[in-house]
Amino acid sequence: MRFETTAIHSGGGPCPATGAIVTPIYQTSTFVFEDVGKTRGYDYSRTSNPTRKALEDTIAALEGGRAGSAFATGMAAETTVMHLLKQGDHVISQEDLYGGTYRLFENVMKNFGLEFTFVSMDNKAEIEAAIKPNTRMIWMETISNPLLNIVDVEMVAGVAKKHGLITVADNTLPSPYLLRPIEYGIDLVVHSTTKYLNGHCDVVGGAVVAVDDKLAERVKFLSNAMGTSASPFDCWLVLRGIKTLPVRMTQHCQSATAIASFLEKHPGVKRVFYPGLKSHPHYKIAKKQMKGYSGMVSFEIVGGARAVKSFLRRVKIFSLAESLGGVDSLVEHPATMSHASMPESFRKKVGITDSLIRLSIGLENIDDLKEDLKQALEHA
Ligand SMILES: *Cc1c(COP(=O)(O)O)cnc(C)c1O
């Protein structure tokens, strides 16, 4: 089956008991044993649940991995993956990454004796120079948030293989429709399903897909042991969202491309970050490994803090909110919102300036979106 068909038909098919075409929400904590020591495949919903399994199988199929696990949030998925490691292990992480991930590494996992080195993931020499005897893992974002840098996943996977390191790719921004990191040699794919996979701004969730059974089993063990798994209802919502992922992504990409070109020509805009623009430093690698450039556009506004505030107050269709990847267009200010948990000095080093604004292009009419940005920029 091709991608669009898999998105709709994987996950077990119609309910064998009733014929319901949609996977039911198995809203139950526990499952009755058939006999002493004999279940029907399920015993307790923290461990596993049929609605969750349908979602896990679907995401695994879309990513081309062996098996998946679904989590309560993207951060629950990431926290669980970090527990593959033990005290004293060293992780090489991309420096330009989601603020919550940075906070998890710096302010939580470090307290448990993990070490981190943050590098620019487009620099092979810098990655290799960071490898130490206790290095176990390389962590990357396939499209980084909020600067939309693109990681050459094949290059990073190659470095990791040479040194026996586990690679983890946060594939939230492209979604598997645009990029499948496992095909390029990545071991674990992480998602915040809150974003494009669900796509409707009505759930928080996470997922992990593993390249082989051994890693998948270990993630499942940790999910059960730590209790980080997703609820049946949330899984059902994400499953519903995934059915339209290909058509939504196609439109997100098309509208974001139009917005990026519009902003690039606007005198009120200093610089546009969009991997589909020829001016983007990673345009070539983006074009090579992705089917599209996703629906996120970041830009630096002319006029400093006053212009930022004025712009954020004046947009009408774009809502001032964190998150991304849904049908609603959103706007946010990374320095004070999504990336406020990063210290200012680190933000500066990475390139997240105070005049950076991040847009998540939704599925509203493109002319309405352009007009909204235009009027807000004119007054900024
Ligand atoms: C939102 C996000 C996360 C965290 O996911 P939650 O569902 O909010 O816990 C992780 N990585 C990226 C790239 C994100 O955008």
Side-chain angles (χ1 to χ4, degrees), residues 121-377:
M121 214 37 94
D122 62 358
N123 187 332
K124 191 175 176 188
E126 200 180 328
I127 302 167
E128 282 180 326
I131 298 173
K132 303 200 278 186
N134 59 336
T135 306
R136 294 286 174 269
M137 180 183 280
I138 301 184
W139 186 287
M140 73 208 85
E141 284 182 13
T142 50
I143 303 181
S144 76
N145 181 357
L147 291 172
L148 312 179
N149 284 313
I150 306 294
V151 168
D152 181 341
V153 281
E154 197 167 23
M155 179 273 282
V156 180
V159 172
K161 283 219 159 65
K162 217 165 74 194
H163 294 88
L165 313 176
I166 299 175
T167 41
V168 186
D170 183 335
N171 201 36
T172 298
L173 265 64
S175 90
Y177 183 63
L178 302 181
L179 173 66
R180 289 153 46 101
I182 287 173
E183 286 176 356
Y184 292 93
I186 296 298
D187 299 314
L188 288 167
V189 171
V190 169
H191 277 284
S192 168
T193 56
T194 311
K195 317 294 167 53
Y196 288 108
L197 284 172
N198 177 62
H200 292 74
C201 309
D202 52 12
V203 75
V204 287
V208 175
V209 176
V211 67
D212 62 34
D213 290 333
K214 196 167 159 235
L215 267 174
E217 276 312 309
R218 185 66 192 162
V219 172
K220 274 204 189 311
F221 169 83
L222 289 170
S223 165
N224 182 46
M226 294 167 64
T228 44
S229 50
S231 81
F233 181 56
D234 289 352
C235 291
W236 184 82
L237 281 171
V238 178
L239 259 177
R240 183 179 209 259
I242 284 177
K243 290 176 200 280
T244 56
L245 178 71
V247 282
R248 284 188 289 105
M249 287 315 291
T250 303
Q251 186 59 50
H252 282 300
C253 290
Q254 194 182 321
S255 295
T257 301
I259 298 281
S261 316
F262 161 76
L263 289 173
E264 206 171 38
K265 288 183 212 111
H266 199 285
V269 172
K270 211 184 322 178
R271 183 173 172 198
V272 181
F273 300 82
Y274 186 64
L277 290 175
K278 294 222 170 67
S279 58
H280 190 282
H282 305 132
Y283 172 72
K284 266 200 193 136
I285 181 67
K287 191 165 182 212
K288 188 185 134 206
Q289 72 186 17
M290 298 200 302
K291 197 171 168 174
Y293 307 101
S294 201
M296 303 297 295
V297 181
S298 295
F299 69 98
E300 282 172 354
I301 196 166
V302 174
R306 244 200 47 205
V308 169
K309 252 195 191 152
S310 156
F311 177 85
L312 295 177
R313 283 179 180 147
R314 279 183 187 278
V315 277
K316 293 189 180 84
I317 297 174
F318 283 84
S319 300
L320 181 61
E322 286 169 2
S323 200
L324 59 98
V327 290
D328 295 74
S329 286
L330 303 176
V331 59
E332 70 112 9
H333 183 225
T336 58
M337 295 170 68
S338 62
H339 290 68
S341 53
M342 255 184 197
E344 192 181 347
S345 57
F346 194 82
R347 275 204 310 271
K348 292 264 140 64
K349 177 176 176 277
V350 171
I352 304 168
T353 64
D354 289 347
S355 56
L356 188 76
I357 292 173
R358 190 191 77 182
L359 304 173
S360 175
I361 310 301
L363 301 182
E364 300 92 339
N365 182 282
I366 181 68
D367 294 329
D368 287 336
L369 294 180
K370 268 196 216 163
E371 279 165 23
D372 193 30
L373 293 176
K374 192 162 172 242
Q375 64 81 22
L377 278 168

Side-chain angles (χ1 to χ4, degrees), residues 79 82-91 103-116 134 226:
T79 302
M82 293 318 287
H83 282 75
L84 291 167
L85 303 174
K86 59 182 193 316
Q87 193 176 20
D89 286 350
H90 172 246
V91 179
R103 179 173 55 197
L104 173 69
F105 292 173
E106 269 298 294
N107 304 119
V108 182
M109 299 317 302
K110 258 193 180 174
N111 298 339
F112 290 88
L114 291 186
E115 273 181 64
F116 294 87
N134 59 336
M226 294 167 64

Side-chain angles (χ1 to χ4, degrees), residues 38-61:
K38 188 160 181 265
T39 69
R40 292 173 173 84
Y42 297 94
D43 56 18
Y44 187 59
S45 276
R46 168 166 32 79
T47 316
S48 110
N49 174 286
T51 315
R52 193 188 307 133
K53 184 169 189 314
L55 173 63
E56 293 171 340
D57 292 350
T58 301
I59 298 181

